Amino acid sequence: MAFSLFTPKNRIINLVLNDHSIRFVELKQSDPPSAQKWRERFLPPGIIKDGKIVDIVSLTSNLEECIDEWKIQRRSIRFLVPDPLVIIRKVSIPAEIQDDEIKGYLYLELGSSIHLPFEEPVFDFYPLSDNGKTKDLLLFAAPEQQVMEYADLFSSLKLNPVAADISPLALYRLYHQLGHTGQNEILFTVQFDLTNVNLCIFEGSAPVVMRPLALPFDSDKWEIKRDSLGCMDCKYTGDADELVVQFEDVFREINKLLDFYRYTLNNEKHDATKFLLSGDHPMLQAIVDEMKERFEVPVVQLSFGAESNGKTGSVPANLLLSLGLALKEVH
């Protein structure tokens, strides 16, 4: 019985929910990353909006069907906190605060010297530097009520949430694991999905600024069905010019964030050195091509070949975020 820990049924399930889908990946191995199995389901509009659960009854019903169909009953899970709920902020604290006291200190300062756009946050931090007088940290925060709504929902369905993460870190973890990181790299990640885009700039492995954007989504103008692998197959049936307008808005926001990073965060010392583009948008290749035309910064996608093959074949690009989540350690 001692070896039962190593059987597939005890592997952690990696669950990613956003405004338009539920996805999961079960990791087979981490080096190189390989999926044992994966699945996804389209979520009709109005169930989750801007990361917040709007229709808990419909979401519960959809999750129950997924759990049953995917045979993931009573499993431990990791999940992503939806991008629109997450705030990343750089804060400075006195250097004399010991490492094991930092969380308590931040908790006391929230609402007084550290201001967030919501009360009662859940938060974590990432140490950046210590100059002897102050310590610089990255603070990751989200509204506790909304995060716990997801955790409580999973628990009510007999799933066991053991870790939460944010999407830029999950994506970067996979990028790093695949050996793509460069020296002195300033990586600008663009997670381009069907209903939202998430922009994030990394200094080394630290995500220093993040900006989530909602995309207009009219389900009447999209034809969505399952392909032969059980994945979402999305085709746009509306006026192509409407998508062009959406993309233009996103490119403008990318330029704004580049300028903010260059002039406000960085005193013109550094620029982004690379774009990493990923996501589930069916026009992703056209978006990559357009960005290569517009920006002088190199644009790359995660190259993922035969090493990602599991029982279900090569993992589709729109499930790479779940695979990055699967690489998170559970402490």
Side-chain angles (χ1 to χ4, degrees):
M1 291 302 291
F3 293 105
S4 65
L5 287 174
F6 302 104
T7 61
K9 66 183 176 186
N10 284 293
R11 288 197 181 98
I12 297 174
I13 293 300
N14 303 282
L15 210 53
V16 174
L17 282 74
N18 57 27
D19 287 11
H20 61 277
S21 68
I22 302 172
R23 298 181 169 125
F24 101 95
V25 160
E26 185 177 335
L27 193 67
K28 184 179 183 182
Q29 62 185 45
S30 61
D31 193 17
S34 169
Q36 178 80 6
K37 60 179 181 176
W38 42 260
R39 291 287 185 275
E40 69 175 337
R41 168 187 286 234
F42 178 71
L43 268 186
I47 295 177
I48 299 176
K49 178 72 175 167
D50 296 328
K52 296 174 183 172
I53 299 172
V54 177
D55 186 345
I56 188 88
V57 175
S58 294
L59 184 56
T60 301
S61 172
N62 272 275
L63 270 170
E64 282 176 333
E65 289 176 15
C66 289
I67 290 166
D68 188 49
E69 185 182 320
W70 299 342
K71 297 180 173 53
I72 56 173
Q73 292 90 342
R74 301 182 181 276
R75 300 287 289 277
S76 292
I77 63 162
R78 299 179 189 90
F79 70 99
L80 287 184
V81 178
D83 295 329
L85 303 182
V86 177
I87 296 275
I88 298 178
R89 188 157 293 172
K90 193 173 180 180
V91 297
S92 294
I93 65 171
E96 62 263 22
I97 305 295
Q98 299 300 307
D99 288 353
D100 60 352
E101 299 170 346
I102 290 175
K103 197 135 194 176
Y105 178 87
L106 291 173
Y107 187 79
L108 292 173
E109 292 301 312
L110 286 167
S112 54
S113 67
I114 301 170
H115 296 283
L116 296 171
F118 41 78
E119 295 178 3
E120 301 298 327
V122 287
F123 66 92
D124 205 347
F125 67 90
Y126 180 96
L128 292 174
S129 60
D130 182 345
N131 64 12
K133 291 183 179 179
T134 58
K135 290 178 179 176
D136 284 342
L137 312 169
L138 280 179
L139 179 69
F140 307 103
E144 182 178 37
Q145 180 185 344
Q146 264 107 31
V147 175
M148 290 311 297
E149 201 171 359
Y150 281 98
D152 291 345
L153 173 58
F154 298 142
S155 296
S156 74
L157 296 172
K158 305 291 192 293
L159 298 174
N160 175 31
V162 292
D165 200 10
I166 63 174
S167 70
L169 288 177
L171 186 64
Y172 189 87
R173 204 176 290 116
L174 182 59
Y175 173 77
H176 180 269
Q177 187 79 350
L178 292 171
H180 295 321
T181 48
Q183 207 164 9
N184 302 319
E185 189 169 75
I186 309 292
L187 186 71
F188 192 136
T189 63
V190 181
Q191 177 76 18
F192 213 121
D193 290 330
L194 196 60
T195 56
N196 56 287
V197 177
N198 197 44
L199 311 177
C200 188
I201 298 178
F202 283 80
E203 290 179 352
S205 59
V208 292
V209 60
M210 181 179 109
R211 187 164 297 167
L213 314 167
L215 290 179
F217 180 76
D218 183 345
S219 58
D220 293 336
K221 295 178 180 177
W222 286 90
E223 181 186 298
I224 298 170
K225 55 188 180 183
R226 288 192 195 189
D227 64 15
S228 59
L229 293 172
C231 282
M232 284 163 40
D233 182 24
C234 308
K235 287 192 174 63
Y236 187 67
T237 57
D239 181 354
D241 287 344
E242 291 181 18
L243 284 188
V244 171
V245 171
Q246 285 185 26
F247 297 166
E248 286 292 342
D249 288 344
V250 174
F251 296 145
R252 261 197 301 276
E253 291 299 326
I254 289 172
N255 267 318
K256 280 187 199 170
L257 196 57
L258 280 171
D259 286 345
F260 175 74
Y261 178 73
R262 182 182 298 131
Y263 300 118
T264 307
L265 284 188
N266 229 322
N267 301 320
E268 301 184 49
K269 286 186 289 194
H270 300 292
D271 276 331
T273 58
K274 188 192 288 183
F275 283 113
L276 174 64
L277 207 66
S278 64
D280 66 24
H281 201 288
M283 311 285 287
L284 197 63
Q285 190 53 54
I287 294 162
V288 169
D289 294 342
E290 184 64 25
M291 284 184 64
K292 285 178 177 176
E293 287 284 323
R294 286 173 180 251
F295 299 100
E296 294 177 10
V297 180
V299 181
V300 301
Q301 291 174 273
L302 280 179
S303 54
F304 221 75
E307 72 269 17
S308 65
N309 286 353
K311 288 181 179 175
T312 41
S314 183
V315 176
N318 51 355
L319 284 144
L320 295 184
L321 204 54
S322 311
L323 202 53
L325 175 61
L327 298 173
K328 180 179 174 66
E329 297 293 330
V330 176
H331 297 291

